[in-house]
Amino acid sequence: MSPFNTQGTAILLGAGFSTRFGQDKRIIELQSKPLLSYTARLYSNVFSDTVLVLRDTDNSLSKLVPEDIEIVYTDRAQYGISESIKAGLNVRLETSWVVIGLIDMPFVKSITLHLLRDQMMKSPQQIVRLRYRNRPGNPVGIPKQYYSSLLSLTGDQGARKFFTQWEANTLVLDVVDGGIHRDIDTQEDWLEYSKCS
């Protein structure tokens, strides 16, 4: 049996085009490291198996990725974040659960990732969604029995449709972590959040 079956997998989505940021935000620096490296290491320090999804034109970024992380390249990133989800999931269909996170959300606390991982290991049959101040955020935990629903997603809505469909099957995990809401979308976001990091 594959070791992934019990430990689960973190799938990091990093194939976006940084349109609103105005440049490739994956290489801007946070604590003297490229954002891509920083967030990837944040996850790989918690999850024993981490997969990073990049665009098929991103070969030059591979040197920024920690060696213990598997890179998956997609040629369908232009069709929306759902395609990145599917690209990562398709290489880990045997794993018992996945945690889906975003490269441009580097302010999620390590303790929050540990809590999410431990909850998935404790209840591997249940969808887990984080919440802070009554608002859900990322990353999210999804068990194997829901992979087919994820693979049917289309467009740029990510897992929004998925959570609407399976709301009754979702465990909400309250955390004290505003980082589950903070994504680096614009230059203004970056200036504001970097002051607080």
Side-chain angles (χ1 to χ4, degrees):
M1 180 179 291
S2 167
F4 301 134
N5 286 337
T6 56
Q7 295 300 317
T9 298
I11 297 176
L12 272 174
L13 308 181
F17 292 89
S18 306
T19 304
R20 293 185 61 194
F21 196 83
Q23 68 183 79
D24 192 343
K25 60 186 172 185
R26 298 171 298 178
I27 61 175
I28 60 176
E29 288 198 349
L30 176 63
Q31 296 185 9
S32 301
K33 295 180 181 178
L35 178 62
L36 181 67
S37 306
Y38 184 93
T39 310
R41 178 53 70 199
L42 174 68
Y43 277 77
S44 66
N45 281 343
V46 175
F47 296 93
S48 60
D49 181 48
T50 301
V51 171
L52 170 64
V53 182
L54 296 175
R55 300 194 298 273
D56 60 343
T57 55
D58 285 334
N59 291 324
S60 63
L61 295 181
S62 62
K63 64 181 181 296
L64 302 180
V65 181
E67 292 183 358
D68 56 338
I69 293 176
E70 178 177 348
I71 302 174
V72 175
Y73 295 100
T74 177
D75 61 358
R76 295 183 57 82
Q78 68 270 28
Y79 299 113
I81 197 171
S82 60
E83 296 299 327
S84 293
I85 293 173
K86 289 186 277 189
L89 189 58
N90 274 324
V91 299
R92 286 297 186 272
L93 290 175
E94 80 279 13
T95 197
S96 59
W97 51 264
V98 294
V99 163
I100 300 175
L102 304 169
I103 278 294
D104 66 353
M105 296 190 71
F107 302 113
V108 178
K109 295 178 182 178
S110 177
I111 190 173
T112 299
L113 297 180
H114 277 94
L115 287 170
L116 180 54
R117 181 202 64 188
D118 293 349
Q119 185 62 53
M120 294 306 299
M121 294 181 73
K122 177 181 177 182
S123 307
Q125 307 300 313
Q126 195 162 28
I127 299 167
V128 178
R129 198 168 194 189
L130 301 177
R131 184 173 63 184
Y132 174 62
R133 293 185 176 176
N134 208 36
R135 186 160 66 95
N138 290 299
V140 298
I142 300 173
K144 185 174 184 176
Q145 63 263 39
Y146 299 100
Y147 291 175
S148 60
S149 292
L150 285 180
L151 292 172
S152 69
L153 294 175
T154 58
D156 208 23
Q157 291 185 316
R160 191 176 306 163
K161 178 182 177 182
F162 173 88
F163 282 111
T164 298
Q165 180 182 1
W166 298 109
E167 183 176 3
N169 304 70
T170 300
L171 170 70
V172 175
L173 185 63
D174 283 303
V175 296
V176 183
D177 185 357
I180 70 169
H181 298 152
R182 295 179 188 153
D183 62 331
I184 303 301
D185 201 20
T186 65
Q187 295 276 351
E188 290 73 21
D189 292 338
W190 180 244
L191 292 173
E192 177 186 353
Y193 294 148
S194 60
K195 292 176 183 176
C196 302
S197 63

